[in-house]
Amino acid sequence: MADTRLIHGRYRLLDLIGRGGMGEVWRARDESLGRQVAVKLLKPPAPDHEESVTRVLRERFRREARVAAALQHRGVTVVHDFGEHEGGLHLVMELLEGRDLSQILDENDRRPLPVADVMDIAEQVAAALAYTHRQGIVHRDLKPANIMRLDDGTVKICDFGIARLDADNGLANRLTGTGIAMGTPHYMAPEQIGAADVDHRSDLYSLGCVLYEISTGAPPFGHQDTWAVLVSHRDTPPRPLREHRAELPGFFELAVLDLLAKEPGQRPDDAAEFGRRLAEGRASYGRLGEPVPLSLRRPPALPPWTHGITTGRKATRAAEGAAPPDPTVGLTGPWTMATTAADRATPR
């Protein structure tokens, strides 16, 4: 597209920095205020696109604008504007200079992050989740690709497209009823997979999956088959983190395993409690070192009855040399980031 394209005569699109099944993300300039922003565009539906799916995607997009605009916390992406242009919806957000945790892991060949960085990320995300939960908002799709680490070390939660507001359960139920799954398999709480109620403790489980992955280099259940992943979330205890990486502090391992409890009532009461446990553990454990700028730095057994069950779509990395499959296709419609220099300014 030409760099002269304007949205509502105000937001001039400059560089394409992300593209996915739902649309595109652009670096743009706000001509009125003279600042750079990120503009997320939802593509107009194709003529043969199923109307119910289009309606859900547009509703999710509006929901993201509504939810994120109501949140004011350094750990949550700021939304500036929302509207419709030439048949498509757009969302104007702060431009984030950094990378999401999935990109960081990929650039590090899936090696785990330094312990000090893991602890710093865990504390920042816990604080942001504690705030959003106090506002009555459940994210419902927390995963490495939705957590950004900025160049200055700030960590931000992004993409509230399928979040649930306590005051608006009806819409969440209607979205779920369309048959489009809410969540990403490797990070879904057991109750999310079934028909049980989802609340803030489901986000805690997803946080446990994220922390497990950045601590060990792999999610707690790393099977290639989507169904096997879901069954493991429901039935299989995760391996202790220090079996993968002995240098992790014991208090951190116990705290993350508590997040991964199968029953919501066995998890911490809230993200604030988890954050307090981390702070207390660090105080008694001693110096872990300072977080530094990130640089290139046995699957569990399934219940016997699951053997041989497949879905035909792989959920994790492909064979060596092959392009990795997208485990969330058909589930959350994630943004696929462009592999260009502009990745350093990926918005969410």
Side-chain angles (χ1 to χ4, degrees), residues 59 63 66-67 136 140 163-175:
E59 201 63 67
R63 166 178 290 270
R66 175 185 173 190
V67 171
R140 304 216 300 171
R164 191 198 79 183
L165 295 95
D166 285 347
D168 193 14
N169 292 341
L171 176 56
N173 292 336
R174 291 198 300 276
L175 292 179

Side-chain angles (χ1 to χ4, degrees), residues 97-110:
E97 300 287 347
R99 293 166 291 168
D100 65 53
L101 299 186
S102 182
Q103 289 174 315
I104 292 169
L105 285 168
D106 286 342
E107 290 171 9
N108 291 341
D109 297 322
R110 306 303 296 180

Side-chain angles (χ1 to χ4, degrees), residues 24-25 38-42 61 64 89-91 93 159 335:
E24 301 170 338
V25 183
V39 176
K40 191 172 183 178
L41 302 174
L42 181 66
F61 206 77
E64 181 178 0
L89 300 178
H90 67 271
L91 187 65
M93 306 169 289
D159 199 347
W335 298 98

